[in-house]
Amino acid sequence: MTNDIEKKWQKKWEDAKLFQSDPDERKKLYLTVAFPYPSGAMHIGHGRTYTVPDVYARFKRMEGYNVLFPMAWHVTGAPVIGIASRIKRKDPWTMELYEKVHRVPKETLPKLEDPEFIVKYFSNEYHEVMNDMGYSIDWRREFRTIDPTYQKFVTWQITKLYDKGLITKGKHPVKYCPRDKNPVGDHDLLEGEGVSINELTLLKFEIDGKILVPATFRPETIYGATNLWINPDVEYIEVKNENETWIISRTAYDNLSNQINGLEILGQIDMTPYIGKYVTNPITNEKLPLLPASFVDAEYGSGTVFSVPAHAPADYIALKDLKENKALLKNYGLEETVAKIEPIPVIKLKKYGDIPAKDVIEKLGIKNQEDPKLQEATNELYKTEHNKGRIREDIPEFAGESVVTARNEIRDKMLENNQAGKMYDFSERPVICRCGERCVVKVMDNQWFLRYSDEEWTNTAREVLEGETIIPGEVKSNFEYYLGWLEDWACSRRLGLGTHLPWDKQWLIEPLSDSTIYMSYYTIAKYLKDMDPEILTPAFFDKVFLNIEPKNNEEIKLEPEKVKEIQDEFNYWYPLDWRLSAKDLVGNHLSFLMFHHGAIFPKEKWPQGTVVFGMGLLEGNKMSSSKGNIILLKDAIKDYSADVVRLFLMSSAEPWQDFDWREKEVLGTKRKLNWFKEFATKIEEIKNKPIDLNNINKVELTRTIDLWMINQLNLRIKNATEALEVFQTRKALQESFFLLKKDLDHYMYRTKHLINTKDPGMIYVLSTVLESWLRLLSPFTPHTCEEIWSKHGGKGFISEAEWPKYDESLINPKIERSELIIQNLVKDINEIKNMVGNNIEKVHLYLSPEWKWDLYKIADEVGKPDIGKIMGKAIAENIHDNKKEIATTAKKLGREVTKTKYIGKIDELKIITDASDYIEEECNSKIIIHTDNSYDPKNKAKNAIPYKPAIYME
């Protein structure tokens, strides 16, 4: 039934063209989210990504903005080529993944051999599921990145950059798939998204006329080398590199041969006999032993490691473990050799001893090489030495230099003297292409690159960043880092779907490079989708986007009136107000967007804001389509309904935090939403007639509890509105749903004695709450709210209703405090009764005299428990004759003012009288209120302080 209701409203919205956005006189709000790469079915992680902008879009529409929220499909690149290839090969893992996880019907699977069918099939499915989620998208602007009209736009964009000298042919390291013979980007990968390429120095250690070449980030530590590590279980080979013979692991050859031309395998070499032999340090000429270590990764670097136990926690603990492994030492005859090895310090650090690795190992309590804290120790020490380290005085030539300066000088000197080489490797492994092949780092010398390392362009990108609002704010420093760190980016590919480089058609523009300013294309896409692509000349885009008139040899093939209409639409929507995307795209797509907008558009068209998302977990584990650890969004909608899915996804975490889909919690969310659906019926039962939300009979409220509920409603509206303005969807829902429901539960309990009385005040309060509550929740659960709204007299679509405005005059801290006083009284009375027994007939409440309120105000002004100062001011103002009483009360209030904020005098007599029926029912005793101590047999009245009446029972 719920799914039928959701379908009903989706159809009504579509028929009414509710979310088709065209320029008008209203203030505009334009937001986009990273368009999906539809190579598989949509899962709940995608659901969170696309629900956040939809909630915000719906919220801003209700605030009166003209909102544009478009969607398109990113289908360029090699991923679908790899998928199609694996389907064609009948790869068992791929066949099972697409049949069992992505639910492709068996009879449809063979059609996935065509990459264009893949993108069409899954983009259609995405479109359908996004509709099922109730997303308020303007579908007139939908496109795929292989549409001929979009390709004309990409050609224009890339030519602009080329003409500005921002694209060049060069020699750079790239992620590379040996099977596809093609550079790959993050979207092309099954594993290894976000992994960077690092430059390492290969240090040349000679042994028997051959050379071992361990790789390092820290060539400056060569002065502290004590030994080299090799792994006896690894296959090593000899390779010819010009006139040198290197010894590397067989696995490392796959990487190095893509970086060093002419690297020739000479044959396998058994390194076991070399264990215990000595290599020569290229800088110091000292002899260092070759020792066995199982931790050496054959795939990383060259498959050998040089050891600096003074500054590398892993080396320190490995050496310690080896010294304690008597059997291994005896097996290789290394007892005397290893016994002599001691760490050699190179870098000095304040607050560390001579051997910093030892200090950090002991601080973290690391016992052996298997300790998971070893990586933490490595990261901590490397960072500290990098930022604060200095070369020790006993290191010739570089003494006293900073680590960073010495590192570069030592590396350059060794490279110049042929004592070292360089290589590139991934920061993490494995990196696997979607075709299933393990990727390598390849140095390409005929590749086209975007010159992100260009200083002038980088400074422009920094200007773009400076003009943006970044949410959350702390991510701005990440952008600053990446904008300065970005190297030139390989922007072309040989293989895949996409647009050819206009000046070198053997190359295709890679996926991240063709999707940097497509937000501008959305604004005009509804005009272009059915046009002949040949009409879309560079002069057309120049005029529309940059207001550049055609030059003599150029032409615009559209009538001027149409061009002006298209240009006016672009100018209405641009600049982009908000860009939403995942945190793993900060270092590429989101930074590229800043570079490209800065290069192509004038400053007034630069993006205004970016929101960065966290990742998704499933029952505590990382979601992964390739590993089958996902729940499809269409299944979640079927099992729970779209509104439950939306409500859970928005309430479980803020957008920039990682969220965790847990079935038990989703079921709890469903129960709460079901309760909300019944709330209107509950009001009708109390009223004993239908609710008309368009005609609520206003009642003058006098009861404190009624005023309290209206206070809470306005407070929740205020807090939810402020949260939504900065994309705090979780906080907004906490305020507008969970806390408001808690407030309402309390109100219903407090007024339970009125439920059967058709009390006008209660009915007015509940009806007012419902009317505002529906509008508050409409962005989150639009189908549910539309249904209740229409059933109970709401005018038009609630999606177009005005966002509820809070009335600041109805938010009164004294009202909040009044109810808190009542609740504290009930609690205190019952606690005392539990201690003294339940045979209490009367409870006497003593209220504070006027002078104690004056004293509380003085204590608040003093601002801290300074009893002397409080008394001094009280006596000076002559608030009370009895100085002893002032002193006693001042001590109490001095402590109390730090816990309970003074908000002014409250009419305690009225609020307690109002609530006396409730207090008597809750405490099962007669309540008597005293404003003086005329009846005070146990002298309790003196204990009364503001906000806390004294209690006497009899």
Side-chain angles (χ1 to χ4, degrees), residues 8 144 204 235 308 432 459 633 671 699 809 893 949:
K8 176 181 88 173
R144 296 186 181 98
K204 296 183 178 182
E235 179 188 350
V308 189
I432 300 176
N459 286 336
L633 191 53
R671 285 192 295 272
V699 173
S809 69
L893 293 182

PDB file of all heavy atoms in Angstrom, residues 8 144 204 235 308 432 459 633 671 699 809 893 949:
ATOM      1  N   LYS A   8       1.738   6.944  -6.674  1.00  0.00           N
ATOM      2  CA  LYS A   8       0.664   7.904  -6.961  1.00  0.00           C
ATOM      3  C   LYS A   8       1.192   9.332  -6.970  1.00  0.00           C
ATOM      4  O   LYS A   8       0.926  10.099  -7.911  1.00  0.00           O
ATOM      5  CB  LYS A   8      -0.452   7.766  -5.911  1.00  0.00           C
ATOM      6  CG  LYS A   8      -1.576   8.790  -6.074  1.00  0.00           C
ATOM      7  CD  LYS A   8      -2.647   8.627  -4.997  1.00  0.00           C
ATOM      8  CE  LYS A   8      -2.342   9.399  -3.752  1.00  0.00           C
ATOM      9  NZ  LYS A   8      -3.428   9.386  -2.760  1.00  0.00           N
ATOM     10  N   ARG A 144      23.638  11.779 -21.650  1.00  0.00           N
ATOM     11  CA  ARG A 144      24.753  10.865 -21.425  1.00  0.00           C
ATOM     12  C   ARG A 144      25.995  11.503 -22.023  1.00  0.00           C
ATOM     13  O   ARG A 144      25.917  12.221 -23.013  1.00  0.00           O
ATOM     14  CB  ARG A 144      24.490   9.498 -22.071  1.00  0.00           C
ATOM     15  CG  ARG A 144      23.311   8.755 -21.465  1.00  0.00           C
ATOM     16  CD  ARG A 144      23.192   7.348 -22.057  1.00  0.00           C
ATOM     17  NE  ARG A 144      22.042   6.638 -21.484  1.00  0.00           N
ATOM     18  CZ  ARG A 144      20.860   6.544 -22.075  1.00  0.00           C
ATOM     19  NH1 ARG A 144      20.665   7.100 -23.264  1.00  0.00           N
ATOM     20  NH2 ARG A 144      19.870   5.888 -21.491  1.00  0.00           N
ATOM     21  N   LYS A 204      71.679   2.645  -5.047  1.00  0.00           N
ATOM     22  CA  LYS A 204      72.453   1.573  -5.692  1.00  0.00           C
ATOM     23  C   LYS A 204      73.508   1.009  -4.730  1.00  0.00           C
ATOM     24  O   LYS A 204      74.512   1.657  -4.433  1.00  0.00           O
ATOM     25  CB  LYS A 204      73.123   2.101  -6.954  1.00  0.00           C
ATOM     26  CG  LYS A 204      72.124   2.537  -8.033  1.00  0.00           C
ATOM     27  CD  LYS A 204      72.840   2.999  -9.301  1.00  0.00           C
ATOM     28  CE  LYS A 204      71.838   3.378 -10.378  1.00  0.00           C
ATOM     29  NZ  LYS A 204      72.504   3.792 -11.645  1.00  0.00           N
ATOM     30  N   GLU A 235      60.929 -14.497  -5.552  1.00  0.00           N
ATOM     31  CA  GLU A 235      61.709 -14.798  -6.756  1.00  0.00           C
ATOM     32  C   GLU A 235      62.413 -13.520  -7.222  1.00  0.00           C
ATOM     33  O   GLU A 235      61.769 -12.511  -7.498  1.00  0.00           O
ATOM     34  CB  GLU A 235      60.790 -15.312  -7.870  1.00  0.00           C
ATOM     35  CG  GLU A 235      61.535 -15.627  -9.161  1.00  0.00           C
ATOM     36  CD  GLU A 235      60.618 -15.945 -10.331  1.00  0.00           C
ATOM     37  OE1 GLU A 235      59.398 -16.105 -10.102  1.00  0.00           O
ATOM     38  OE2 GLU A 235      61.119 -16.020 -11.470  1.00  0.00           O
ATOM     39  N   VAL A 308      67.155   1.305   8.200  1.00  0.00           N
ATOM     40  CA  VAL A 308      67.607   2.444   9.011  1.00  0.00           C
ATOM     41  C   VAL A 308      66.903   2.355  10.369  1.00  0.00           C
ATOM     42  O   VAL A 308      65.934   3.073  10.620  1.00  0.00           O
ATOM     43  CB  VAL A 308      67.286   3.786   8.320  1.00  0.00           C
ATOM     44  CG1 VAL A 308      67.957   4.941   9.064  1.00  0.00           C
ATOM     45  CG2 VAL A 308      67.735   3.783   6.878  1.00  0.00           C
ATOM     46  N   ILE A 432      43.642  -2.396  -9.328  1.00  0.00           N
ATOM     47  CA  ILE A 432      43.157  -3.368 -10.313  1.00  0.00           C
ATOM     48  C   ILE A 432      42.164  -2.700 -11.256  1.00  0.00           C
ATOM     49  O   ILE A 432      41.190  -2.071 -10.825  1.00  0.00           O
ATOM     50  CB  ILE A 432      42.487  -4.576  -9.612  1.00  0.00           C
ATOM     51  CG1 ILE A 432      43.508  -5.272  -8.705  1.00  0.00           C
ATOM     52  CG2 ILE A 432      41.931  -5.571 -10.636  1.00  0.00           C
ATOM     53  CD1 ILE A 432      42.948  -6.422  -7.897  1.00  0.00           C
ATOM     54  N   ASN A 459      47.274  29.188  -8.974  1.00  0.00           N
ATOM     55  CA  ASN A 459      46.865  30.374  -8.209  1.00  0.00           C
ATOM     56  C   ASN A 459      45.439  30.799  -8.556  1.00  0.00           C
ATOM     57  O   ASN A 459      44.684  31.245  -7.687  1.00  0.00           O
ATOM     58  CB  ASN A 459      47.842  31.522  -8.462  1.00  0.00           C
ATOM     59  CG  ASN A 459      49.174  31.306  -7.760  1.00  0.00           C
ATOM     60  OD1 ASN A 459      49.241  30.586  -6.763  1.00  0.00           O
ATOM     61  ND2 ASN A 459      50.241  31.897  -8.285  1.00  0.00           N
ATOM     62  N   LEU A 633      19.241  -0.321  -3.987  1.00  0.00           N
ATOM     63  CA  LEU A 633      18.287   0.701  -3.556  1.00  0.00           C
ATOM     64  C   LEU A 633      16.859   0.293  -3.892  1.00  0.00           C
ATOM     65  O   LEU A 633      15.942   0.530  -3.100  1.00  0.00           O
ATOM     66  CB  LEU A 633      18.649   2.041  -4.196  1.00  0.00           C
ATOM     67  CG  LEU A 633      17.939   3.275  -3.662  1.00  0.00           C
ATOM     68  CD1 LEU A 633      18.075   3.396  -2.149  1.00  0.00           C
ATOM     69  CD2 LEU A 633      18.487   4.544  -4.335  1.00  0.00           C
ATOM     70  N   ARG A 671       9.106   2.104  12.099  1.00  0.00           N
ATOM     71  CA  ARG A 671       8.070   2.179  13.150  1.00  0.00           C
ATOM     72  C   ARG A 671       7.758   3.628  13.518  1.00  0.00           C
ATOM     73  O   ARG A 671       6.602   3.990  13.707  1.00  0.00           O
ATOM     74  CB  ARG A 671       8.550   1.406  14.399  1.00  0.00           C
ATOM     75  CG  ARG A 671       8.488  -0.105  14.248  1.00  0.00           C
ATOM     76  CD  ARG A 671       8.683  -0.808  15.578  1.00  0.00           C
ATOM     77  NE  ARG A 671      10.018  -0.579  16.123  1.00  0.00           N
ATOM     78  CZ  ARG A 671      11.073  -1.336  15.851  1.00  0.00           C
ATOM     79  NH1 ARG A 671      10.960  -2.367  15.017  1.00  0.00           N
ATOM     80  NH2 ARG A 671      12.240  -1.085  16.402  1.00  0.00           N
ATOM     81  N   VAL A 699      -7.066  29.533  18.842  1.00  0.00           N
ATOM     82  CA  VAL A 699      -7.505  29.650  20.231  1.00  0.00           C
ATOM     83  C   VAL A 699      -6.429  30.415  21.002  1.00  0.00           C
ATOM     84  O   VAL A 699      -5.235  30.187  20.800  1.00  0.00           O
ATOM     85  CB  VAL A 699      -7.717  28.251  20.860  1.00  0.00           C
ATOM     86  CG1 VAL A 699      -8.009  28.381  22.359  1.00  0.00           C
ATOM     87  CG2 VAL A 699      -8.825  27.505  20.145  1.00  0.00           C
ATOM     88  N   SER A 809       8.995  35.451  18.837  1.00  0.00           N
ATOM     89  CA  SER A 809       8.297  35.896  20.051  1.00  0.00           C
ATOM     90  C   SER A 809       7.652  34.730  20.799  1.00  0.00           C
ATOM     91  O   SER A 809       7.293  34.861  21.967  1.00  0.00           O
ATOM     92  CB  SER A 809       7.225  36.933  19.693  1.00  0.00           C
ATOM     93  OG  SER A 809       6.157  36.322  18.977  1.00  0.00           O
ATOM     94  N   LEU A 893      23.488  29.791  45.722  1.00  0.00           N
ATOM     95  CA  LEU A 893      23.313  30.326  44.372  1.00  0.00           C
ATOM     96  C   LEU A 893      24.637  30.434  43.611  1.00  0.00           C
ATOM     97  O   LEU A 893      24.667  30.319  42.388  1.00  0.00           O
ATOM     98  CB  LEU A 893      22.639  31.704  44.436  1.00  0.00           C
ATOM     99  CG  LEU A 893      21.192  31.688  44.935  1.00  0.00           C
ATOM    100  CD1 LEU A 893      20.616  33.097  44.914  1.00  0.00           C
ATOM    101  CD2 LEU A 893      20.323  30.769  44.075  1.00  0.00           C
ATOM    102  N   PRO A 949      11.556  25.225  44.033  1.00  0.00           N
ATOM    103  CA  PRO A 949      10.808  25.360  45.289  1.00  0.00           C
ATOM    104  C   PRO A 949      11.271  24.347  46.334  1.00  0.00           C
ATOM    105  O   PRO A 949      11.757  23.257  45.991  1.00  0.00           O
ATOM    106  CB  PRO A 949       9.363  25.083  44.854  1.00  0.00           C
ATOM    107  CG  PRO A 949       9.338  25.380  43.386  1.00  0.00           C
ATOM    108  CD  PRO A 949      10.670  24.987  42.880  1.00  0.00           C
TER     109      PRO A 949
END
